């Protein structure tokens, strides 16, 4: 079997290093993150075979991180590590899309066995990848998210990477609000005020590029996000 690529999101540095050192000697490739925000960014950069995440972390906890991941990735196996043992926490974890749960303290061999079992599922998923929608009709426009081309009446325009990624999310959630913070964390890796202003600039550019069809609107839902509406 190929080496298993694991993203470990754990704020306890000593534990993270122990897990990393142990697993790297057991046919694993380990990447680490210190909190949920960094974990979210690395997840989409690395596309690991298995995500191992603590629940209680600063800035963004493991539950919120996985909730956001599951909005676009339903398949990557997730193993939660936690010292919390309340049954409602376990239930919440599985409802968010976790595949397994390991309570601290745990034995390294048990962790290895569980990751290998989850990795087997991940590799089987890769054999039959889920078809992702890449072509969208937006009123009289046609958009291909792979080529990043937006066409109207036979004329094509190439979008920037971020323009294409933002438009893809709006198309996938047509008539629904796409959360500003989710876009910023996915595409910028940080939801700072500066990046929020940058996102607004990209939205303005997309509005201009879609302006030839008067039925199309990208509306700002104040304090929440943006919504693509086609009348």
């Amino acid at each position: 079997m190929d080496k298993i690529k694991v993203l470990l999101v754990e704020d306890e540095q000593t534990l993270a290093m122990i897990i990393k050192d142990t697993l790297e000697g057991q046919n694993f490739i380990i990447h680490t993150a210190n909190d949920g925000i960094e974990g979210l960014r690395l997840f989409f950069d690395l596309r690991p075979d298995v995500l191992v995440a603590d629940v209680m972390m600063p800035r963004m906890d493991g539950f919120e991180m996985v909730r956001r991941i599951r909005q676009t990735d339903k398949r990557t196996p997730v193993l939660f590590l936690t010292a919390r043992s309340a049954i409602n926490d376990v239930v919440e974890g599985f409802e968010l899309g976790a595949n397994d749960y390991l309570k601290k303290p745990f034995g390294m061999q048990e962790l290895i066995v569980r990751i290998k079992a989850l990795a087997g599922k991940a590799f089987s998923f890769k054999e039959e990848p889920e078809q992702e929608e890449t072509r969208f009709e937006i009123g009289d426009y046609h958009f291909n998210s792979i080529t990043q081309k937006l066409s109207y009446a036979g004329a094509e325009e190439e979008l920037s990477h971020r323009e294409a990624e933002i438009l893809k999310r709006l198309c996938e959630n047509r008539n629904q609000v796409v959360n500003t913070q989710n876009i910023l964390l996915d595409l910028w890796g940080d939801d700072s005020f500066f990046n929020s202003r940058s996102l607004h600039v990209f939205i303005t550019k997309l509005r201009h590029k879609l302006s030839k069809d008067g039925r199309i609107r990208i509306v700002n839902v104040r304090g929440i996000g943006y919504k693509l509406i086609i009348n």
Side-chain angles (χ1 to χ4, degrees), residues 1-7 23-24 26-31 47-52 77 112-120 122-123 126:
M1 182 182 285
D2 295 334
K3 284 197 172 185
I4 299 166
K5 183 164 64 174
V6 176
L7 173 58
L23 268 61
E24 283 182 337
Q26 298 286 328
N27 208 40
F28 293 88
I29 299 170
I30 308 296
H31 299 271
R47 295 294 179 177
D49 300 315
V50 178
L51 171 64
V52 179
I112 289 169
V113 168
R114 293 197 186 201
I115 292 175
K116 284 183 175 179
L118 292 175
F123 291 146
K126 289 176 182 177

Side-chain angles (χ1 to χ4, degrees), residues 169-170 173 176-183 224-227:
R169 283 163 173 74
L170 291 171
N173 298 277
Q176 300 178 48
V177 178
V178 181
N179 186 276
T180 296
Q181 189 177 42
N182 290 352
I183 298 175
I224 302 175
Y226 296 93
K227 180 193 294 189

Side-chain angles (χ1 to χ4, degrees), residues 7-13 16 31-43 52 57 65:
L7 173 58
L8 171 65
V9 189
E10 169 62 67
D11 66 312
E12 293 182 37
Q13 292 299 299
H31 299 271
T32 61
N34 297 325
D35 57 58
I37 290 179
E38 184 184 5
L40 191 65
R41 177 181 60 80
L42 283 177
F43 180 87
V52 179
M57 294 185 291
M65 178 184 68

Side-chain angles (χ1 to χ4, degrees), residues 51-86:
L51 171 64
V52 179
D54 189 20
V55 173
M56 295 296 292
M57 294 185 291
R59 300 179 71 200
M60 179 188 293
D61 66 26
F63 285 160
E64 177 63 15
M65 178 184 68
V66 170
R67 184 188 69 78
R68 296 186 185 192
I69 286 171
R70 286 299 189 232
Q71 290 178 350
T72 55
D73 183 312
K74 309 293 185 186
R75 290 192 162 189
T76 301
V78 174
L79 169 65
F80 275 127
L81 304 176
T82 183
R84 298 162 70 179
S85 58

